[in-house]
Amino acid sequence: MDISVYFPIWNKLNINEQQALTTSAIERHFKKGELIHTGGDCMGLILVTSGQLRAYTVSKEGREITMYRLFERDMCLFSASCMMRSIQFDITISAEKDTDALLIPSEVYRKIMENSAPLANYTNEVMASRFSDVMWLIDQIMWKSFDKRLADFLLNEANVEGTNILKITHEEIGNHMGNPREVVTRMLKYFQTEGMVKLSRGTIEIADENKLMALTEE
Amino acid sequence: MDISVYFPIWNKLNINEQQALTTSAIERHFKKGELIHTGGDCMGLILVTSGQLRAYTVSKEGREITMYRLFERDMCLFSASCMMRSIQFDITISAEKDTDALLIPSEVYRKIMENSAPLANYTNEVMASRFSDVMWLIDQIMWKSFDKRLADFLLNEANVEGTNILKITHEEIGNHMGNPREVVTRMLKYFQTEGMVKLSRGTIEIADENKLMALTEE
């Protein structure tokens, strides 16, 4: 994919800046399940060409919660967190599907951004967008009961995957939502008795989409 | 206070940009307890000259949780959220103390930022810093038990106020932490039986700082 599609402000960059981005970008392939980035390293900006990445945090005890996902045409800033002094947190990124990406070295990007108001402002917009994701998450964690959050998660998964039969374990759901596996299993069993889902080994089938949706909207 | 102290990159702005910021800034005074900003309005950037502001979100049911605080020399971006399309969330701001501030109209700031890489990059740093605050908060909410969070909150309050006798209600604490008042009261009573605090009408005295600190570090 052409690198310019990631930057709506491409035409506001000068030739040298465009060339620096183009020539420094490296093609990378990540296998499904691969750990791509952990806090501390500063591998560069990830531009997703195809596939799906997951950005999450991990507690000291190893529990996880998903912050946001990155799809085709998304750009990940926090894998280049050394670009900004004030990014004082760690995000972990792994591939949820086989993923192709372009990688722009942090130092190349930072140098262009230092002098280019269009690129700096665009970076601002990308960060504001992630900030919005995280604020939505706080809203969910703080004020929404777990049954509503889980119903919302399942419907969103079905939408992302384009199928009502989800291949996902209860543990994986727990890692997305920041809850222990047992809590997920208990709620899924309750959903099953209510006819909203059908559970079988390794899959969760959404049996009554409307009922699940009604739950999220209560 | 001179407006240049808020911008470490002041010398990288040209004379016109400096003048636009200086002449457009309006002095404002906010009384303790005053509601300054709610989602939807776009009053401009708030530069705190003295005093203390609180930035928080409010649930549909009216429950609150503090995102971060703003002190002398801090700048608030989200009161000018219309500057950036991608800011898709509402933050409420109120004065925790009598506060003097400078207000820069959103449109003035946005126009300068559009052309000034230094200002755009500085704005990026400010946003990254708030982002770090919010990521810390998620970490607290998700993985820390309420007793540790409350101990941490009380010690932080004592530090901010410069006294071990805190004039704060249980309801106010609940609004900072996103918990119902009853939960706060119950835990404070437990702290009292453990000799960590002394409760009386309208005040909470930190009686054993070391013991509270030990609790947060467990």
Side-chain angles (χ1 to χ4, degrees):
Chain A
M1 199 178 291
D2 191 68
I3 197 170
S4 66
V5 303
Y6 293 91
F7 299 97
I9 47 80
W10 188 256
N11 291 332
K12 293 184 181 169
L13 299 175
N14 67 38
I15 290 281
N16 292 338
E17 293 163 344
Q18 291 178 350
Q19 263 181 352
L21 288 174
T22 308
T23 58
S24 69
I26 304 155
E27 283 184 37
R28 289 287 299 270
H29 180 75
F30 304 109
K31 283 214 176 329
K32 180 177 171 174
E34 190 176 337
L35 184 66
I36 297 175
H37 166 84
T38 54
D41 78 21
C42 191
M43 63 193 293
L45 288 98
I46 303 171
L47 281 46
V48 182
T49 316
S50 70
Q52 184 175 317
L53 304 182
R54 171 181 171 236
Y56 56 104
T57 61
V58 185
S59 77
K60 265 186 275 182
E61 292 76 24
R63 290 176 61 190
E64 303 178 359
I65 182 168
T66 300
M67 294 290 124
Y68 50 83
R69 275 141 155 197
L70 297 161
F71 300 96
E72 195 180 311
R73 300 202 177 202
D74 278 339
M75 174 163 92
C76 184
L77 289 179
F78 296 122
S79 49
S81 58
C82 57
M83 282 195 322
M84 282 179 227
R85 223 177 34 250
S86 308
I87 299 180
Q88 297 291 337
F89 56 91
D90 292 330
I91 265 187
T92 307
I93 298 163
S94 65
E96 282 196 303
K97 296 184 179 173
D98 284 348
T99 297
D100 286 308
L102 292 170
L103 204 70
I104 301 176
S106 312
E107 196 46 30
V108 171
Y109 193 91
R110 196 194 59 74
K111 269 193 184 156
I112 299 174
M113 190 169 70
E114 199 174 285
N115 295 306
S116 164
L119 190 63
N121 280 299
Y122 178 62
T123 308
N124 251 329
E125 288 286 350
V126 174
M127 188 162 17
S129 173
R130 300 292 165 260
F131 207 132
S132 302
D133 291 340
V134 169
M135 290 297 292
W136 178 87
L137 179 65
I138 289 186
D139 196 63
Q140 295 281 311
I141 299 169
M142 288 305 301
W143 321 122
K144 263 203 166 180
S145 56
F146 182 66
D147 57 341
K148 291 185 174 60
R149 283 184 65 209
L150 183 58
D152 202 52
F153 175 83
L154 294 174
L155 291 168
N156 187 48
E157 270 315 280
N159 186 32
V160 166
E161 299 296 331
T163 169
N164 272 349
I165 302 179
L166 307 173
K167 286 187 185 147
I168 189 167
T169 66
H170 301 186
E171 172 138 26
E172 284 168 334
I173 296 177
N175 286 345
H176 279 296
M177 301 184 64
N179 294 90
R181 184 191 56 75
E182 299 73 26
V183 174
V184 175
T185 298
R186 198 181 314 130
M187 190 60 78
L188 283 173
K189 283 186 178 160
Y190 165 73
F191 283 5
Q192 183 165 247
T193 60
E194 292 289 309
M196 294 189 269
V197 301
K198 279 183 199 158
L199 305 177
S200 51
R201 199 168 180 82
T203 68
I204 300 164
E205 182 181 345
I206 295 181
D208 191 337
E209 200 176 316
N210 292 334
K211 207 167 170 185
L212 268 184
M213 213 171 293
L215 179 58
T216 68
E217 285 161 1
E218 250 170 35
Chain B
M1 199 177 292
D2 190 68
I3 197 171
S4 66
V5 303
Y6 293 91
F7 300 97
I9 47 80
W10 187 256
N11 291 332
K12 293 184 181 169
L13 299 175
N14 67 39
I15 290 281
N16 292 338
E17 292 162 346
Q18 291 178 350
Q19 262 180 356
L21 288 174
T22 308
T23 57
S24 68
I26 305 155
E27 282 184 38
R28 288 287 298 272
H29 181 76
F30 303 109
K31 282 213 177 329
K32 181 179 170 171
E34 190 175 339
L35 184 66
I36 297 176
H37 166 82
T38 54
D41 79 22
C42 192
M43 64 192 293
L45 287 96
I46 304 172
L47 281 45
V48 181
T49 315
S50 70
Q52 185 175 319
L53 305 182
R54 171 181 171 238
Y56 55 103
T57 61
V58 185
S59 76
K60 265 188 277 183
E61 292 76 24
R63 291 176 61 191
E64 302 178 0
I65 182 168
T66 300
M67 295 288 124
Y68 50 82
R69 276 142 154 197
L70 298 161
F71 300 96
E72 194 180 313
R73 301 202 175 201
D74 279 338
M75 174 163 92
C76 186
L77 290 179
F78 297 121
S79 50
S81 58
C82 58
M83 282 196 320
M84 281 179 229
R85 222 177 36 250
S86 308
I87 299 180
Q88 298 291 337
F89 57 89
D90 292 331
I91 266 186
T92 307
I93 297 163
S94 66
E96 283 195 304
K97 297 185 178 171
D98 284 349
T99 297
D100 286 308
L102 292 170
L103 206 69
I104 301 175
S106 313
E107 196 46 30
V108 172
Y109 193 90
R110 196 194 59 75
K111 270 194 184 154
I112 300 173
M113 189 168 70
E114 200 174 286
N115 295 306
S116 164
L119 189 64
N121 280 299
Y122 178 62
T123 309
N124 250 329
E125 289 285 350
V126 174
M127 188 161 17
S129 173
R130 300 291 165 260
F131 207 130
S132 301
D133 291 341
V134 169
M135 290 298 291
W136 179 87
L137 179 65
I138 289 186
D139 195 64
Q140 295 281 312
I141 299 168
M142 288 304 301
W143 320 122
K144 265 203 165 178
S145 56
F146 181 66
D147 57 341
K148 292 184 173 57
R149 284 184 63 210
L150 183 57
D152 201 53
F153 176 83
L154 295 174
L155 291 168
N156 186 48
E157 269 316 281
N159 186 32
V160 166
E161 297 296 332
T163 169
N164 272 349
I165 302 178
L166 306 173
K167 284 187 187 150
I168 189 167
T169 67
H170 301 188
E171 172 138 25
E172 284 167 333
I173 295 176
N175 286 345
H176 279 296
M177 301 185 64
N179 294 89
R181 185 191 56 73
E182 298 74 22
V183 175
V184 176
T185 298
R186 199 182 313 130
M187 190 60 77
L188 283 172
K189 282 186 178 159
Y190 166 73
F191 283 3
Q192 183 164 248
T193 60
E194 292 288 311
M196 294 188 268
V197 301
K198 280 184 200 158
L199 306 176
S200 52
R201 200 171 180 79
T203 67
I204 300 165
E205 182 182 345
I206 295 182
D208 191 336
E209 201 174 318
N210 291 334
K211 207 167 170 183
L212 268 184
M213 215 171 290
L215 179 59
T216 67
E217 286 162 2
E218 252 170 35

